[in-house]
Amino acid sequence: MNGSNVDIDWESARRANHENWNDRVPLHEVAYGLDRYDDPAHLSDVVRADLPVLERFLPEQSLRGLDLCHLQCHIGTDTVSLARAGANVTGVDFSGPALTVADALAARAGVQARWIETDVLDARAAVDREFDVVYTSIGTITWLEDLNRWAEQIHGLLRPGGIFYIRDGHPALYALDEEAPDLTTRYPYFGDGRAQLWDDASTYVGDGTVEHSRTYEWPHPLSEVIGVLLANGMRLLHFDEGRTLPWQFSPRMVEVAGGYAWPESERDLIPCTYTIVALRDS
């Protein structure tokens, strides 16, 4: 049953997720509309939303000239956009096929980028430098079992004084029944160490289907996300919650400027995203 809690070891779950994300690459290569990046001024919707928040906490309120590591970068649309905003970018992802598409996109867009194929939980060992900014955004950490190890990678990748930025789906949103006719809780907000099993051949964008349809995700409450960052030498600078998403979580969501939202009568009842900006002090 989709969303049921199961006992599975990390390596087996990771292997299933890896196969699924490799399958998504050719579908997303079409659905993401990569030809839009032929326009040198084009930025992804995700980065266009993130930049005004991120830049407030940067020297001179700009990414220009800063070294940035993009964790779980997928096919590189956001990474290319961050490069266009002025950053020297390194994209990290566990899917080799995704990085092949990302590299081709960067070349086509005339953007300099470096790509590292590794699990995000091994990123510090795989990447041979430190950064001014570590960035991750939308649909990322539910794929990770061990958030403390994730936070260790972030701290290790940042220079002292460096900034970490994340905007992701809100765990309160993920607890909702996406098929229900109203806002009904169905899945656990708090994790118990077990993974949630999903079997779905579709992806969040486009009409195609994948061969490897089974995936595993882990619920992480906000207390855990913030807690692991604080426990690993990060200082919280900014926290916010948002009402829109860049993908349609539920068929009941309606298209609005910048993405999707619940019907207007429900829009103030539940957050869709959260944003955290944190600083590595030392």
Side-chain angles (χ1 to χ4, degrees):
M1 176 182 175
N2 275 336
S4 59
N5 292 330
V6 297
D7 291 307
I8 186 170
D9 64 275
W10 165 248
E11 288 303 324
S12 298
R14 183 261 183 206
R15 188 179 310 113
N17 290 342
H18 186 246
E19 291 174 339
N20 176 270
W21 278 94
N22 282 347
D23 287 354
R24 295 184 191 212
V25 171
L27 304 179
H28 290 179
E29 189 175 6
V30 174
Y32 273 45
L34 300 188
D35 56 343
R36 291 179 296 173
Y37 293 84
D38 293 342
D39 175 359
H42 181 76
L43 302 179
S44 69
D45 289 342
V46 168
V47 167
R48 196 175 297 277
D50 288 340
L51 275 178
V53 180
L54 172 59
E55 289 180 332
R56 286 165 46 196
F57 300 93
L58 300 178
E60 301 181 10
Q61 288 72 59
S62 173
L63 279 173
R64 192 152 305 280
L66 298 183
D67 296 325
L68 180 146
C69 183
H70 181 188
L71 300 178
Q72 294 170 272
C73 68
H74 193 36
I75 63 173
T77 51
D78 296 335
T79 324
V80 165
S81 299
L82 292 162
R84 284 181 165 168
N88 306 313
V89 297
T90 297
V92 171
D93 201 86
F94 73 161
S95 169
L99 294 182
T100 297
V101 172
D103 189 50
L105 174 63
R108 174 176 167 178
V111 162
Q112 293 293 318
R114 191 171 69 134
W115 310 101
I116 306 292
E117 182 180 346
T118 185
D119 281 12
V120 65
L121 299 182
D122 299 321
R124 186 63 194 96
V127 181
D128 61 357
R129 65 182 68 176
E130 295 177 340
F131 298 87
D132 303 301
V133 179
V134 172
Y135 169 95
T136 189
S137 191
I138 300 300
T140 54
I141 63 173
T142 61
W143 301 98
L144 307 177
E145 178 185 32
D146 186 348
L147 277 202
N148 188 67
R149 185 171 165 189
W150 168 77
E152 289 174 351
Q153 309 308 303
I154 293 163
H155 183 272
L157 287 166
L158 282 171
R159 298 181 177 119
I163 292 294
F164 171 63
Y165 178 95
I166 181 172
R167 178 167 63 103
D168 210 340
H170 201 292
L173 176 82
Y174 291 151
L176 296 177
D177 184 343
E178 63 273 42
E179 302 294 340
D182 53 16
L183 298 177
T184 302
T185 301
R186 176 178 177 183
Y187 309 109
Y189 176 86
F190 297 100
D192 62 3
R194 292 181 295 170
Q196 291 177 324
L197 167 64
W198 303 92
D199 199 336
D200 183 357
S202 67
T203 78
Y204 54 84
V205 64
D207 298 323
T209 58
V210 298
E211 178 183 354
H212 301 93
S213 59
R214 181 166 291 195
T215 59
Y216 300 89
E217 299 181 51
W218 287 263
H220 297 295
L222 280 178
S223 56
E224 182 184 6
V225 179
I226 294 171
V228 295
L229 292 171
L230 297 177
N232 282 279
M234 306 295 295
R235 176 157 55 93
L236 190 66
L237 299 181
H238 173 81
F239 174 79
D240 194 13
E241 295 166 297
R243 292 172 173 80
T244 62
L245 281 172
W247 84 97
Q248 192 176 26
F249 169 80
S250 166
R252 291 201 309 110
M253 281 188 154
V254 296
E255 194 163 4
V256 297
Y260 295 88
W262 294 109
E264 191 168 357
S265 62
E266 299 174 353
R267 211 161 290 172
D268 291 338
L269 299 179
I270 193 79
C272 289
T273 62
Y274 67 90
T275 300
I276 292 172
V277 182
L279 172 75
R280 175 181 166 173
D281 275 321
S282 61

